[in-house]
Amino acid sequence: MSAIQQTSHSELIEEIEPFFAPMSADLVDSLIGQYNAARKCLKSLADAVSGDDVRGVLHYFVEGNVQDQRYSMPTTVETLFRIEPAIAQLNADFWNRALRLTDVLDYMPQKRRDEWFEQIKNPMGKKKHRSSWDKSADEWELLPLPEFEEDTVRATLGGLMAARAQFFGERVDGIFRALSKEHVTNCPQGFNKRMILLRAITSYGTVDHGTAGVINDLRCVIAKFMGRDEPKWNDTSSVISIARQDNGQWLGIDGNALRIRIYNGVGTAHLEVHPDIAWRLNGVLASMYPAAIPAEFRTRPKRAKKIKNFELFDRPLPFAVLGLLAGMKPALRKRENPGFRENKFVDIQKTRRFEHGEHDKATLAEAEKVLAAIGGVRDKEGGLEFWRFDYEPGQVLNQIVCSGCIPDHKSHQYYPTPASVAEKAIELAMEGATPGMAWLEPSAGQGGLADMMPKDDTCCVEISPLHCQILKAKGHNVIEEDFLKWRGIGAFHRVLMNPPFSEGRWQAHLQHAASMLAADGRLVAILPASAKGKPLLEGFDLQWSSVLENQFGGTSVDVVILAAQRSNAA
């Protein structure tokens, strides 16, 4: 493998150096055991076919079983069963397994990944092109892959894992070197907020994985700047596939820290980062090449109240959660009496299911919260679990996977109230409450608040038919209606609500709920933090909680709880 270059970086890099998990000794022991067993079998097979009797008839198997390929197959048994190429392929297989069982591929810059994959693809190495005048004809263009021996494996993996922090600087350098030299948008002195990469889309119309890897490196660096986890090394291909659907249109990704647009015709990727991100990227370059980066590129941009197109989200969803969501597919049911050429299964419309396999429990739970936040309801058919929606969720899921955040126009159609917030709200609502009082929960969703309210005395209003089914299954009294169009069934003594926030709709919901309150009634509402202190309800005494920060994962919303009671109430 290529030697690891030691590079000293500035305090900027040291500040963001993360904790890295150690390499498991059991992992190497297991791989070495599997490798030795497979190598022994290869040797036994090669010895078994080396006898004259066997060689004389073995070619019939090749000719009889691979007729379509026999002219490209080895012409002799000796060539087919050469042990050296077979062991080289065995080495390649196990080096590939070792890399994928650790996290080093996630931290490698794309250039290093390309080098590893090229060597795994060519485990016997490549000699330089021969010519009559070439004096270096026996020199290697690509060295053979090392034997998969315990000492070599431990040393190589240990060195790579120890170099994960160093890879950060290599990533930034690799991103800069990969920028197009054909476009004046890219400046040779350092990073601008705008960048252009060639060949995001190949001539075959597919995503170029090399370019996708460079963009993924940029996302990883930005994630470090933001204090986030990092995307996996192959996560960006799906983002490019989504971005190219709107040819030439900007798409905000990763909490809007980065914007991307793809031009399918020429295959280029245009990127735009927040000016502060460009400045920090140049700071890393300057630590590596102190004399090469001009002062103006190392000067922090002047602060502005608001930078167009870059309203950053405080708490984007973890990349592990986004990866689960990106892999979701429609649920399937068996087709009745399929024809000869028809698939045995058919998609169930307006559904999504997770990929098969084991998933981290905490990551899965967070992904399920996202699905609930955009209106998904857990369902089951034929023993298989999936999520059902009132609409086709593909476009919304794509938006979440790219942006890292729940789109506002969907998130507060229904967004489940966190238990910690619900408990504070119910405590305020219970002050002075007595048995038999009439309670109301507008926009009840799946019952995050209603479950804590007196069930027999509570009326739930909910617009989503699927959510109404859940509320009824829980035993709630449910009215399927748009709350703003609902005229009520009398006065309520307690109203407890988490209204939709987007486009200021919470104000309309708050006013409408207050109009349904009895003279001695009390209204408790979870509102955006910006509402605190405003005279929202005339004729009411208003009490405000402290601001509750980052309560809703995947959004930038901080909240406050309002308790309102009529001023003339006894």
Side-chain angles (χ1 to χ4, degrees), residues 376-566:
V377 173
R378 196 193 302 273
D379 203 348
K380 182 182 288 188
E381 184 178 305
L384 299 177
E385 289 191 352
F386 55 87
W387 289 77
R388 191 183 295 276
F389 297 83
D390 282 330
Y391 62 97
E392 175 51 51
Q395 187 174 357
V396 174
L397 284 172
N398 283 347
Q399 188 175 346
I400 294 173
V401 168
C402 291
S403 70
C405 304
I406 301 167
D408 194 49
H409 71 282
K410 284 292 181 186
S411 68
H412 287 290
Q413 294 285 347
Y414 163 66
Y415 197 47
T417 308
S420 59
V421 178
E423 289 168 2
K424 290 182 174 66
I426 195 70
E427 184 178 337
L428 290 170
M430 290 298 295
E431 290 183 13
T434 58
M437 279 186 167
W439 290 64
L440 171 65
E441 212 291 50
S443 307
Q446 295 181 16
L449 290 174
D451 290 345
M452 299 183 179
M453 298 161 68
K455 188 167 293 184
D456 293 338
D457 301 324
T458 299
C459 174
C460 296
V461 180
E462 172 55 40
I463 192 172
S464 166
L466 290 177
H467 293 166
C468 287
Q469 291 177 25
I470 288 184
L471 291 166
K472 289 176 182 177
K474 288 181 174 182
H476 290 294
N477 301 311
V478 185
I479 296 175
E480 185 180 326
E481 182 66 85
D482 181 345
F483 176 63
L484 292 180
K485 298 178 181 178
W486 185 59
R487 294 305 162 213
I489 52 174
F492 293 91
H493 300 95
R494 291 291 184 272
V495 177
L496 182 56
M497 60 192 302
N498 175 18
F501 289 6
S502 63
E503 300 173 356
R505 286 183 293 163
W506 61 269
Q507 297 182 63
H509 280 250
L510 185 67
Q511 294 285 345
H512 192 49
S515 71
M516 298 182 178
L517 205 60
D520 59 346
R522 184 176 179 84
L523 182 152
V524 176
I526 299 165
L527 302 176
S530 60
K532 185 171 183 177
K534 294 181 178 179
L536 300 174
L537 297 173
E538 186 177 351
F540 282 78
D541 293 327
L542 308 182
Q543 297 177 353
W544 301 91
S545 74
S546 59
V547 173
L548 306 174
E549 298 180 345
N550 288 331
Q551 297 296 313
F552 295 82
T555 76
S556 59
V557 176
D558 298 333
V559 299
V560 67
I561 301 176
L562 167 66
Q565 197 139 358
R566 292 191 187 277

Side-chain angles (χ1 to χ4, degrees), residues 10 20 85 123 141 173 194 299 319 395 405 413 489 495 518 533 554-555:
S10 68
F20 296 110
E141 178 182 328
D173 187 43
R194 288 276 182 93
T299 303
F319 283 109
Q395 187 174 357
C405 304
Q413 294 285 347
I489 52 174
V495 177
T555 76

Side-chain angles (χ1 to χ4, degrees), residues 20 39 42 82 93 142-143 216 236 279 310 313 318 336 346 398 424 426 455 540 565:
F20 296 110
R39 182 162 179 154
L42 278 180
R82 282 192 302 150
D93 180 31
L142 181 69
L143 290 171
N216 199 78
T236 297
W279 167 71
F310 285 102
F313 286 84
E336 293 185 11
V346 61
N398 283 347
K424 290 182 174 66
I426 195 70
K455 188 167 293 184
F540 282 78
Q565 197 139 358

Side-chain angles (χ1 to χ4, degrees), residues 165-196:
Q166 173 196 327
F167 289 161
F168 180 83
E170 290 188 19
R171 272 178 171 164
V172 176
D173 187 43
I175 295 162
F176 185 69
R177 292 175 183 274
L179 298 180
S180 167
K181 308 299 186 294
E182 301 175 12
H183 294 82
V184 295
T185 299
N186 298 324
C187 181
Q189 292 93 342
F191 286 100
N192 282 322
K193 68 175 184 178
R194 288 276 182 93
M195 313 174 203
I196 299 177

